[in-house]
Amino acid sequence: MAAHIGHRLRKGATSGVVMAAAVAALAASQAPEMIPPAADNTGGDHAIGAGDTTPPSRDDSATGDDPYYTDLPPLISPNKPGASSKLPIITGPAEAGIPASVYSAYKRAELSIRSTDPGCNLPWQLLAGIGKVESGQARGGRVDANGTASPPILGPALNGNGFANITDTDDGAFDGDKIHDRAVGPMQFIPSTWAIWGQDANSDGKKDPNNIYDAAQAAGLYLCANDRNLALKADLDQSILSYNRSREYLNTVLSWVAYYERGTHQIPDGTGVLPVDRSDNGDRGNRPRPGTQPPTVPTTPTPTPGTQKPKPSETRPGPVKPPTVPTKPPVTPPVTPPTAPPAVKVARLAIVANEKLTATTGSAFTGAPRVAALDASGKPVAGVSIRFEITGPTDTRFAGGGTTATVTTSSTGLAASPALRAGEKTGSFTVRATVVGRTLGAADFSATVTERRADTLTRVAGDPLSATTGTSFAQQLQVKATEKGALAPGVLVTAVIVTSKTDPKEATEGPSFKGADGKSVRTVTLRTGTNGLLTFEPGDLLAGDTAGTFFIQLTAPGGGTTFVDLTVTAPATPDPEPTPEPTPSGSGSPEATPSPSSSPSA
């Protein structure tokens, strides 16, 4: 249904319209003064178009217009949480209870279809109303742990005897009848309709009409067909009549919709109340069918005193019967058979191109995932919404920055994802393609991101790099990375300080790189710029405290490698000043100091 989302033109409506309409139907279906529509014998009152004199054929509805339960909800509906405190006390709790698995299936179908076709405004209570009328909520919730009715639910043979005449279309695969079709499962799909609308909503690999999850999802899609907006009364009526074209059926379903909208609760599977009255049950006691009124008792008019007596020629023996007033059948717009949305026709997704994708970090992938939507015969299906999703540990993104993208198949059934661009994270991931609103097998594309490569690293001409211990190198160092002769931007280059070109191991002393945190390290990894250059500015290299010859070994993915020489020298030692020699004692120098032992002259 997603293919219709962008093309929907909706009239202003709210869910209150549905509620009001359903409540009105509830009141009308049980009011004795309601004017009855014309009724048929077994299938209820068929919708007849203006000018029609016979009911339409009954072999293209969802159920083949087979029998259905006509039991009505209690006149007093259960309280809804938050409703007025003046509402009547809850009655009929059993009728308000829905078996847990059945309730879960209705809610799941509503959420799924609202995500793919929000303009339909499908309420789960509509599915519950139809499920109640068609099968009594899967025979009171008699389903197994997977939600499959046990035993299977089968309607009568549609052999034309009171029902539509539908010869076998499934070779008995679903209904076990190879002569005539029968309605199957909790939502009572005939096999020919199930072949178009069947779903695998519980992802068990099967489209099973006896599974409440599969059946509820299919019923929701069927009711939303033809771009219907179920918030509009006309569209709501059309959807229900397309399911079973009977006015009695319409009134009964709407009665249960209104009842469930007032409130309900879950009950254990298998404990639901199974209805009794069916549309093909002739023994209904004194209770009128929904949409009918009690027969009118004929009365004889009482003459008014003083009026003239009838002439003898005007008298008739016996009681006078009131004149019969002919009634016209209600004029109902013709029901348009639902058109299956493109997604329903898809049997599988086929990978067309780019099953394995590769790119280097920061670059665009050379191709994009491309799939074909095919039907059961292998023919392409146009107008199908395909969802592409990037899954796995990666920062790769579609054009625009998203991890998901939805694309509609072309007239040839093909859809390609938007362009993919790799981030900085290397590794493998998956791009998954699925049909929106379906649980078909996905088409998976493997993708790998590798580092950018450079097969050559070359030092750009410059001064020899030298420094004295305790200082930093004052020269700029630039290295150019190329791949097959072209500049290689964005390449991760590893630089290591080593002491030998033949046995390159990280040095334990000598020069080092100045890290971003101010600490010195002897191994760094840097990325080349858009010009393919790796630059070390003056001051980025520290000389250290050990003199000698060292090397920077630079390597890049792709095989590029080079060495850059580093020379560290000790600072020059200045020449010491000469020390004066001592003068000998008794030299007669006038500055000589007399020995302390000498006596002064007389």
Side-chain angles (χ1 to χ4, degrees):
M1 294 300 296
H4 300 299
I5 293 175
H7 305 288
R8 234 181 239 281
L9 294 177
R10 297 292 183 190
K11 290 170 278 185
T14 65
S15 59
V17 175
V18 179
M19 180 65 186
V23 171
L26 173 61
S29 65
Q30 303 183 68
E33 69 273 15
M34 190 191 80
I35 299 175
D40 63 16
N41 293 326
T42 58
D45 309 323
H46 289 285
I48 302 174
D52 291 346
T53 57
T54 58
S57 62
R58 294 191 268 170
D59 58 355
D60 60 352
S61 66
T63 65
D65 293 345
D66 67 330
Y68 52 87
Y69 290 108
T70 59
D71 290 19
L72 293 171
L75 286 172
I76 302 177
S77 298
N79 287 327
K80 187 175 183 179
S84 170
S85 59
K86 297 181 180 180
L87 290 175
I89 299 175
I90 294 176
T91 63
E95 289 87 346
I98 299 179
S101 292
V102 180
Y103 177 84
S104 173
Y106 296 151
K107 294 288 288 185
R108 182 187 296 186
E110 178 195 53
L111 291 174
S112 173
I113 293 172
R114 281 184 181 265
S115 68
T116 58
D117 187 12
C120 176
N121 293 302
L122 172 73
W124 70 263
Q125 291 92 341
L126 176 58
L127 297 175
I130 290 177
K132 178 71 172 181
V133 173
E134 292 292 346
S135 67
Q137 309 298 19
R139 285 197 304 245
R142 272 73 172 178
V143 296
D144 61 20
N146 294 321
T148 302
S150 180
I153 301 173
L154 295 176
L158 299 175
N159 54 14
N161 184 15
F163 316 119
N165 186 359
I166 306 177
T167 56
D168 177 61
T169 60
D170 66 332
D171 197 30
F174 292 119
D175 56 15
D177 192 332
K178 294 187 177 182
I179 300 175
H180 293 94
D181 271 347
R182 298 170 181 260
V184 183
M187 305 303 279
Q188 288 288 277
F189 276 97
I190 56 175
S192 58
T193 306
W194 184 258
I196 299 173
W197 298 89
Q199 300 290 301
D200 177 18
N202 63 347
S203 301
D204 64 354
K206 297 183 295 183
K207 298 177 183 179
D208 185 359
N210 266 297
N211 182 275
I212 185 58
Y213 294 98
D214 294 357
Q217 179 80 8
L221 290 171
Y222 184 91
L223 293 165
C224 287
N226 295 348
D227 284 346
R228 294 191 185 105
N229 177 3
L230 302 185
L232 302 176
K233 181 65 166 63
D235 283 6
L236 177 65
D237 289 357
Q238 281 281 315
S239 70
I240 299 173
L241 288 170
S242 73
Y243 211 91
N244 191 317
R245 288 169 305 177
S246 159
R247 189 169 296 276
E248 178 188 57
Y249 182 87
L250 171 66
N251 290 340
T252 306
V253 169
L254 288 176
S255 297
W256 283 106
V257 171
Y259 184 73
Y260 290 137
E261 284 182 338
R262 288 288 301 277
T264 185
H265 58 273
Q266 296 186 54
I267 58 175
D269 288 345
T271 63
V273 175
L274 189 63
V276 177
D277 290 343
R278 296 202 317 170
S279 61
D280 61 341
N281 182 2
D283 183 11
R284 298 176 55 88
N286 294 323
R287 201 182 75 154
R289 301 174 73 148
T292 64
Q293 64 181 14
T296 303
V297 179
T299 59
T300 301
T302 303
T304 302
T307 58
Q308 183 179 1
K309 294 183 180 180
K311 298 178 181 180
S313 59
E314 296 175 346
T315 58
R316 295 181 182 179
V320 177
K321 294 182 180 180
T324 302
V325 180
T327 59
K328 294 183 179 180
V331 177
T332 304
V335 178
T336 303
T339 301
V344 173
K345 302 175 185 178
V346 180
R348 65 186 181 94
L349 280 182
I351 294 176
V352 175
N354 304 314
E355 184 173 3
K356 295 183 178 180
L357 301 156
T358 59
T360 56
T361 53
S363 64
F365 283 80
T366 55
R370 189 157 53 137
V371 297
L374 305 175
D375 64 13
S377 64
K379 295 181 180 179
V381 183
V384 179
S385 293
I386 305 297
R387 175 186 172 91
F388 292 93
E389 181 178 10
I390 299 171
T391 63
T394 182
D395 55 357
T396 296
R397 296 292 183 265
F398 290 118
T403 58
T404 61
T406 301
V407 180
T408 302
T409 57
S410 65
S411 58
T412 57
L414 298 178
S417 80
L420 286 162
R421 187 170 189 83
E424 301 303 328
K425 186 178 293 185
T426 61
S428 298
F429 61 95
T430 299
V431 179
R432 176 159 296 165
T434 56
V435 178
V436 175
R438 298 291 305 278
T439 53
L440 296 172
D444 287 343
F445 297 79
S446 61
T448 304
V449 178
T450 59
E451 286 289 354
R452 288 193 178 189
R453 302 169 65 86
D455 54 22
T456 304
L457 294 176
T458 308
R459 184 189 173 189
V460 178
D463 297 332
L465 297 178
S466 61
T468 57
T469 56
T471 65
S472 61
F473 290 85
Q475 303 93 339
Q476 183 189 67
L477 169 63
Q478 280 192 327
V479 176
K480 180 176 65 175
T482 57
E483 172 72 7
K484 297 180 180 179
L487 291 175
V491 176
L492 283 177
V493 177
T494 301
V496 185
I497 306 292
V498 299
T499 56
S500 170
K501 292 182 179 180
T502 57
D503 185 21
K505 295 180 180 178
E506 184 182 81
T508 58
E509 58 182 4
S512 62
F513 300 103
K514 184 178 180 180
D517 57 0
K519 297 181 179 179
S520 61
V521 293
R522 292 190 170 88
T523 299
V524 294
T525 300
L526 303 171
R527 191 178 297 277
T528 60
T530 56
N531 53 6
L533 294 179
L534 185 68
T535 302
F536 295 90
E537 298 294 346
D540 288 346
L541 279 167
L542 306 177
D545 298 327
T546 304
T549 301
F550 301 88
F551 309 94
I552 303 177
Q553 182 192 37
L554 298 113
T555 56
T561 185
T562 192
F563 288 90
V564 177
D565 295 1
L566 301 175
T567 302
V568 180
T569 59
T573 304
D575 293 335
E577 297 181 1
T579 304
E581 296 181 359
T583 304
S585 178
S587 63
S589 171
E591 298 178 358
T593 303
S595 171
S597 61
S598 62
S599 300
S601 58

